[in-house]
Amino acid sequence: MNRKQLILILSLALGLGFGYVAAVADDVPSGYTQVSETPQKGETSRTSTFNVEKQLVARKVVKEDGSVELDSFKNGVRTAKVVSDKNGARTGEFEYYPDGKLKRELKAGVLAFERRKLADGTFEAIRYKKDGKSAQMRRRVSVDGGFELTHFRTDSNKIYFTANIKGVSGQFEWCYYAPDGSQLRRVVDETQMVVTVYSETGDIKLEQVWRKTKAGFVCKSVNVKEKHGYRRYTNDDSGKLSCAEDLDADGTVVTTWKADQVNPPAVSLFAEQFEDDDPTIPEDE
């Protein structure tokens, strides 16, 4: 057995896609068989290779644009895939876990994605920027069912926004981070959404309560920070101001005002905050 056949056997049997590439060649190892299959849409040819136990170990697919996909299999599960363009240059490399989930992805030799298990049992998946080092997106799922999704700004390593589910509560929480350091936090349940806007120094500027309706979310009340506490403005179902309340620092109502006893609040207080940049604007149902 020559060295070329030995490497081919190793790559076919072990399904290695990073370092050894499973290839479909005319001179397959003794006992291995090749089967030409009907090409699927967008393909010109599809060839599968089986070992002596008749198990699928490799597949070669040639696309109409001349690109080629080489897949490696072990125990019926794909372990790796290499994609090359019509000139033979590698454009993508993929490595899979035994359960079939994607483990790593390289684009033109640069790390684009990886999934791994951390020491505390958390599963982490990272999608990288073009440099192959800085994260564009990070997703984590903890052992207690908690979910955390973080997106980073494309022009820096600053966090753009996060989305979380705390444990098994099922309650979503979004946090948006503006370039100037101000923040917007949303907590959403089945009937309402609470939006809190923080200043650049981390102080609460205002807090909105949105009610879920058939048409989507509608802002019903707004708490605005003032010198000695907060003032809460509440709208009726028609969207008009119904009352205003002065609250002390702990949220206790000190004074209640009728709508005609206070200056009307700015319309912008009941509108989306950071609308041009916030990625979590509620969508209509």
Side-chain angles (χ1 to χ4, degrees):
M1 179 184 297
N2 59 38
R3 186 172 184 275
K4 181 178 179 181
Q5 288 177 319
L6 178 60
I7 292 177
L8 180 58
I9 290 175
L10 288 173
S11 63
L12 291 174
L14 300 179
L16 297 176
F18 291 75
Y20 293 101
V21 178
V24 177
D26 292 333
D27 54 344
V28 295
S30 177
Y32 282 52
T33 57
Q34 288 184 317
V35 177
S36 295
E37 301 172 346
T38 302
Q40 298 182 2
K41 185 177 181 180
E43 301 174 354
T44 59
S45 68
R46 171 177 283 252
T47 307
S48 293
T49 301
F50 298 85
N51 62 17
V52 293
E53 287 82 23
K54 307 303 180 183
Q55 297 172 327
L56 176 67
V57 293
R59 177 178 290 128
K60 178 179 180 181
V61 175
V62 180
K63 300 298 186 71
E64 291 179 348
D65 61 3
S67 62
V68 178
E69 291 185 2
L70 298 177
D71 292 282
S72 300
F73 297 86
K74 184 177 182 180
N75 298 325
V77 179
R78 182 169 57 185
T79 58
K81 177 170 70 173
V82 176
V83 181
S84 304
D85 63 20
K86 63 180 180 180
N87 298 315
R90 291 190 186 183
T91 58
E93 300 172 60
F94 306 83
E95 184 180 4
Y96 300 88
Y97 284 106
D99 62 2
K101 290 183 178 180
L102 181 62
K103 181 178 182 180
R104 298 179 70 212
E105 176 188 354
L106 276 67
K107 290 184 177 180
V110 178
L111 183 62
F113 174 86
E114 66 177 340
R115 181 186 283 112
R116 58 195 177 190
K117 186 176 181 179
L118 305 182
D120 63 355
T122 297
F123 285 94
E124 179 181 71
I126 300 176
R127 176 67 62 182
Y128 291 92
K129 297 178 181 179
K130 292 182 179 180
D131 62 6
K133 299 177 181 179
S134 304
Q136 179 64 61
M137 177 277 293
R138 183 183 66 218
R139 184 174 64 251
R140 288 176 174 172
V141 180
S142 61
V143 292
D144 65 355
F147 173 86
E148 174 188 295
L149 175 67
T150 303
H151 276 260
F152 298 85
R153 290 189 173 273
T154 56
D155 58 352
S156 71
N157 290 325
K158 292 182 178 180
I159 295 177
Y160 185 14
F161 71 93
T162 63
N164 301 275
I165 301 177
K166 301 296 184 181
V168 296
S169 68
Q171 190 173 61
F172 276 96
E173 177 178 315
W174 283 271
C175 290
Y176 159 79
Y177 300 82
D180 64 2
S182 57
Q183 298 179 31
L184 181 149
R185 177 173 177 264
R186 301 176 186 271
V187 179
V188 185
D189 60 27
E190 294 182 356
T191 61
Q192 74 174 20
M193 172 174 64
V194 178
V195 178
T196 308
V197 180
Y198 299 86
S199 67
E200 297 87 339
T201 58
D203 296 324
I204 296 178
K205 292 176 61 177
L206 63 88
E207 186 170 85
Q208 302 170 325
V209 177
W210 296 67
R211 299 293 183 186
K212 191 172 185 179
T213 68
K214 292 182 179 180
F217 283 100
V218 176
C219 187
K220 298 296 293 182
S221 67
V222 180
N223 288 5
V224 183
K225 185 174 178 60
E226 296 188 338
K227 290 183 179 180
H228 303 292
Y230 292 87
R231 171 164 287 185
R232 178 166 59 209
Y233 297 98
T234 302
N235 282 347
D236 58 24
D237 291 340
S238 66
K240 294 182 179 180
L241 183 66
S242 62
C243 69
E245 297 167 305
D246 289 336
L247 315 175
D248 63 16
D250 66 2
T252 301
V253 177
V254 177
T255 308
T256 300
W257 307 90
K258 294 181 180 180
D260 58 2
Q261 293 179 306
V262 296
N263 293 324
V267 176
S268 60
L269 293 180
F270 285 85
E272 287 284 347
Q273 306 298 304
F274 305 110
E275 185 172 8
D276 294 337
D277 198 37
D278 169 27
T280 62
I281 297 173
E283 298 179 355
D284 292 342
E285 293 185 328

